[in-house]
Amino acid sequence: MNSEMMGFDQFPRIARTETARAIYLIDVDTCEIVYMNNYAKDMLQLAYDDESYCGKKCYEFLQGQDRQCRFCRNSQLTTERLFVEEIYQPSVQRYLQVKSILFNYMGRRLRFEILYNFKEDELEQQKKYLDRKLEQIRWVDNLTGLYNREKYNSILREIEEKKISRIGIVDMDINGLRNINATKGYQSGDKVLVKIAELARSVFGSNAFRIGSDEFICLAIDDSKTDFEAKVASLKSKFNAEPGFRVALGSLWCDDCDDIYRKVSQVNAVMEAGKSSGYARLDADYNYKAERAHRLLAEIAAGRFTVYLQPKINLQTGLLDGAEALVRKFDEQGNVVAPDNFIPEYEKNGLINYIDTFVLKTVCQLLKEWREQGAEPFKVSVNVSRVTLIAEDIIKNSIETCREYGIDPGLIDVEITESFGLLEKNLLVDLISRLHEAGFSISMDDFGTSFSNLELLSQVHFDTVKFDKSLTDSIVDNPKPQILFKAAVSMCREFGDTLTLAEGIETEEQLKVLQKLGCQFGQGYYFDKPLPPQVFWKRYIQK
């Protein structure tokens, strides 16, 4: 059995380099010799010019024993550090120093060994050289030459230990690498990976990492926000100039990095959001999610989705103040499906942005039609998922949708939930600031379901705070929700221009308590359930 038969021609080049060091590889689990360079053969005085040693047991071939050596240290090897020992070699009748490290390759656990038999005056020089080579094996991705995931994780630990605060992170993922491999071959896929690594290195230097088969990370440690954004723009420009592949890219800069792992998770969410928004532009057979995106868009085009409107009422006057848009789906028999039965699936698959976009377009179309029929303009709330809002260009696209139908963005209220508090503070503040600059108003939905609500209120400005139905349910008989309502209403008044709205009002008793506590607006079955647009028009708008 020779090295070619064992697939050794595919081993990392560093392991096959014919250096002036004695190197050999042993399968840890089978004790079979996998490879031995000429210097190892010479040092051990073995008369094998060919590779007939491959597949032989190391304890038989090197030690002349019929069973595994009692001094074998295979079980103590790790990928984390070198294991240094002295082993007696019968063929040369002397002890040789051996440095070993565990080397995982193509599902095999290999012992990478280097034998030392140097003169004293050469030892230090050779040691440094070998340390560099072994570091390459441990830290460097063989295909791209970038640092690998293990090195990346060590950098994150260092950032955490040193409490570095200013961090810029770029998370990148190749769209459809599996499809490239399947249709053009793995060599084409490898060329794409190498090219992306080259571009990432040209901007971020040694702080570019390949951390997965098709995922890359770049770090900008202690850069200013301006410098980091310039690097991101440069990298995007380089990617856009390449016709052979598409890269989903998410970026995040922060100056209060108290939890680097949370920041990494946040930037990954930004990258995934941008990736999901592009599925519809890919061929349906590009990958599973692209196929699902095309199917969802086909269902939208076929009228399988609609928007219901639930009125928002001024609690002091009893008059209509606006409405909330709520998506509904029809099954194949034409029955209405509640959102809880399909929204979680689209959120999980990263396709919720297509639903959010459909709702906004439908609302703008309704407002345009009703305006043309003489109706007074009124504000409509749309629920926007976190995945949708952090996607690149979503605010610009929303403005263009409003412009297409001639609708003032001020008539659109964007409702976000407390889960947005999981985003990095600077990113969240920037998102809401940009929405306000575009003319949209912002409501915090589900207030009272999480302590993070208060933290979120302290960080950004909301036009409206919506109290969750769970608080309204017990507002009549339980004094604690009343205290919370009263304090929150007072706090919103102190903000100056933050309105309050109670969800889930179902009884007159609840309404009276909320009026007494100073809550300004409400919605719920006491007033009306979510209605089809034509019913809403006749009941609340048509004169």
Side-chain angles (χ1 to χ4, degrees):
M1 182 183 297
N2 58 40
S3 62
E4 184 176 355
M5 292 171 59
M6 298 185 70
F8 188 71
D9 57 311
Q10 299 179 36
F11 274 29
R13 290 186 297 273
I14 181 59
R16 293 187 280 119
T17 301
E18 289 294 338
T19 65
R21 256 67 54 194
I23 295 173
Y24 58 87
L25 292 158
I26 295 173
D27 189 305
V28 169
D29 298 307
T30 65
C31 293
E32 293 177 348
I33 299 174
V34 174
Y35 173 73
M36 184 181 299
N37 69 1
N38 289 330
Y39 288 95
K41 297 176 193 175
D42 292 341
M43 182 179 293
L44 298 173
Q45 298 181 14
L46 299 173
Y48 284 86
D49 293 331
D50 56 12
E51 297 180 359
S52 58
Y53 59 84
C54 287
K56 294 185 182 295
K57 302 292 186 180
C58 61
Y59 52 81
E60 294 177 349
F61 187 72
L62 301 176
Q63 296 294 324
Q65 300 190 39
D66 58 1
R67 65 186 63 186
Q68 190 169 349
C69 303
R70 287 180 297 175
F71 57 80
C72 182
R73 299 292 185 269
N74 282 352
S75 62
Q76 299 181 30
L77 296 179
T78 70
T79 60
E80 299 296 323
R81 62 182 181 84
L82 292 172
F83 189 92
V84 182
E85 59 184 325
E86 289 187 349
I87 297 178
Y88 184 78
Q89 294 293 340
S91 59
V92 293
Q93 297 184 351
R94 62 173 297 179
Y95 281 91
L96 297 178
Q97 188 182 57
V98 178
K99 282 191 175 182
S100 309
I101 195 167
L102 188 62
F103 180 37
N104 294 306
Y105 184 73
M106 295 182 68
R108 300 183 70 179
R109 301 191 313 137
L110 304 178
R111 175 173 181 149
F112 184 95
E113 286 199 359
I114 302 172
L115 302 179
Y116 288 86
N117 187 21
F118 300 120
K119 297 178 181 177
E120 291 298 324
D121 58 350
E122 297 175 339
L123 186 58
E124 189 61 31
Q125 179 181 354
Q126 298 293 349
K127 179 179 179 299
K128 291 179 180 179
Y129 177 82
L130 286 170
D131 286 344
R132 289 196 302 269
K133 290 295 183 181
L134 288 168
E135 182 175 334
Q136 281 187 271
I137 293 175
R138 178 183 176 187
W139 298 119
V140 178
D141 174 59
N142 177 61
L143 177 64
T144 65
L146 296 184
Y147 281 132
N148 59 20
R149 188 180 191 91
E150 190 173 355
K151 178 68 171 180
Y152 165 69
N153 286 333
S154 74
I155 295 294
L156 293 187
R157 290 193 294 269
E158 185 177 329
I159 289 172
E160 189 174 45
E161 291 169 0
K162 293 184 177 179
K163 301 186 183 302
I164 298 172
S165 59
R166 292 203 308 181
I167 300 291
I169 311 170
V170 179
D171 192 354
M172 298 171 288
D173 190 283
I174 305 171
N175 287 332
L177 178 63
R178 183 178 299 176
N179 185 69
I180 294 174
N181 289 334
T183 58
K184 299 181 180 180
Y186 283 93
Q187 189 174 18
S188 295
D190 287 349
K191 287 181 179 179
V192 169
L193 292 167
V194 170
K195 186 62 180 180
I196 290 174
E198 175 188 321
L199 298 177
R201 187 189 294 110
S202 70
V203 178
F204 286 91
S206 62
N207 281 324
F209 308 84
R210 183 187 179 197
I211 64 169
S213 62
D214 59 355
E215 188 174 2
F216 296 79
I217 287 277
C218 295
L219 300 176
I221 301 174
D222 215 25
D223 274 12
S224 68
K225 184 177 182 181
T226 301
D227 290 342
F228 174 66
E229 289 177 345
K231 288 181 178 180
V232 173
S234 174
L235 188 57
K236 287 182 178 179
S237 177
K238 291 176 183 287
F239 285 153
N240 291 336
E242 295 292 333
F245 54 83
R246 300 182 184 93
V247 176
L249 185 151
S251 62
L252 176 70
W253 181 89
C254 55
D255 59 359
D256 58 349
C257 185
D258 56 346
D259 187 344
I260 183 61
Y261 298 99
R262 181 181 178 187
K263 298 299 186 289
V264 168
S265 177
Q266 290 168 346
V267 75
N268 180 259
V270 174
M271 183 273 291
E272 288 291 345
K275 190 172 185 177
S276 68
S277 65
Y279 287 136
R281 295 192 296 271
L282 304 175
D283 294 334
D285 60 354
Y286 195 77
N287 61 26
Y288 170 75
K289 289 186 177 179
E291 187 273 332
R292 292 296 301 272
H294 281 264
R295 186 191 309 170
L296 173 58
L297 290 174
E299 290 179 336
I300 291 174
R304 292 281 299 277
F305 292 86
T306 188
V307 169
Y308 279 25
L309 297 172
Q310 185 173 34
K312 294 181 179 181
I313 304 299
N314 186 313
L315 298 188
Q316 307 307 316
T317 66
L319 299 177
L320 179 74
D321 182 73
E324 180 179 1
L326 300 163
V327 68
R328 297 290 187 268
K329 183 178 182 179
F330 298 109
D331 62 20
E332 294 180 355
Q333 287 73 42
N335 301 312
V336 176
V337 181
D340 289 346
N341 293 325
F342 62 88
I343 290 295
E345 175 189 355
Y346 294 126
E347 289 179 335
K348 180 181 178 180
N349 292 331
L351 302 176
I352 190 64
N353 58 297
Y354 298 106
I355 298 294
D356 292 342
T357 299
F358 163 75
V359 172
L360 176 60
K361 287 186 175 182
T362 303
V363 167
C364 288
Q365 185 177 14
L366 287 172
L367 290 176
K368 177 185 177 182
E369 291 175 359
W370 292 344
R371 181 186 63 202
E372 292 173 348
Q373 296 178 50
E376 292 293 326
F378 63 94
K379 185 174 291 188
V380 179
S381 296
V382 294
N383 293 280
V384 178
S385 73
R386 181 165 55 115
V387 172
T388 299
L389 196 55
I390 61 179
E392 189 174 17
D393 294 333
I394 187 61
I395 296 178
K396 182 183 74 173
N397 293 339
S398 298
I399 294 172
E400 291 177 354
T401 297
C402 290
R403 186 178 296 125
E404 177 185 352
Y405 292 96
I407 300 301
D408 182 353
L411 295 177
I412 304 298
D413 181 67
V414 178
E415 293 193 8
I416 65 176
T417 67
E418 54 83 23
S419 67
F420 275 78
L422 300 175
L423 292 178
E424 199 279 325
K425 183 183 70 175
N426 290 326
L427 175 60
L428 181 64
V429 171
D430 180 63
L431 283 171
I432 294 181
S433 175
R434 287 165 55 206
L435 283 167
H436 277 135
E437 289 175 4
F440 299 99
S441 62
I442 313 294
S443 291
M444 175 192 281
D445 200 7
D446 301 334
F447 181 82
T449 60
S450 171
F451 286 113
S452 63
N453 291 153
L454 291 174
E455 182 182 2
L456 200 55
L457 277 175
S458 70
Q459 294 172 345
V460 296
H461 169 67
F462 288 92
D463 299 280
T464 303
V465 171
K466 298 183 67 176
F467 294 90
D468 188 70
K469 182 180 182 301
S470 61
L471 294 176
T472 306
D473 287 342
S474 56
I475 195 71
V476 174
D477 301 318
N478 192 335
K480 289 186 178 180
Q482 294 182 19
I483 294 171
L484 177 60
F485 256 93
K486 185 176 181 179
V489 167
S490 175
M491 177 178 61
C492 289
R493 286 203 186 105
E494 290 292 324
F495 290 154
D497 55 356
T498 299
L499 304 175
T500 53
L501 181 148
E503 295 181 291
I505 301 175
E506 297 181 350
T507 67
E508 185 175 1
E509 290 79 8
Q510 290 173 335
L511 172 61
K512 289 180 178 179
V513 173
L514 291 167
Q515 288 173 328
K516 182 179 178 181
L517 294 174
C519 187
Q520 296 155 296
F521 303 96
Q523 64 184 101
Y525 278 30
Y526 176 77
F527 304 110
D528 227 329
K529 63 182 180 180
L531 303 169
Q534 61 273 22
V535 177
F536 187 92
W537 161 262
K538 292 178 181 179
R539 189 170 298 179
Y540 290 98
I541 303 175
Q542 190 176 38
K543 297 179 180 179

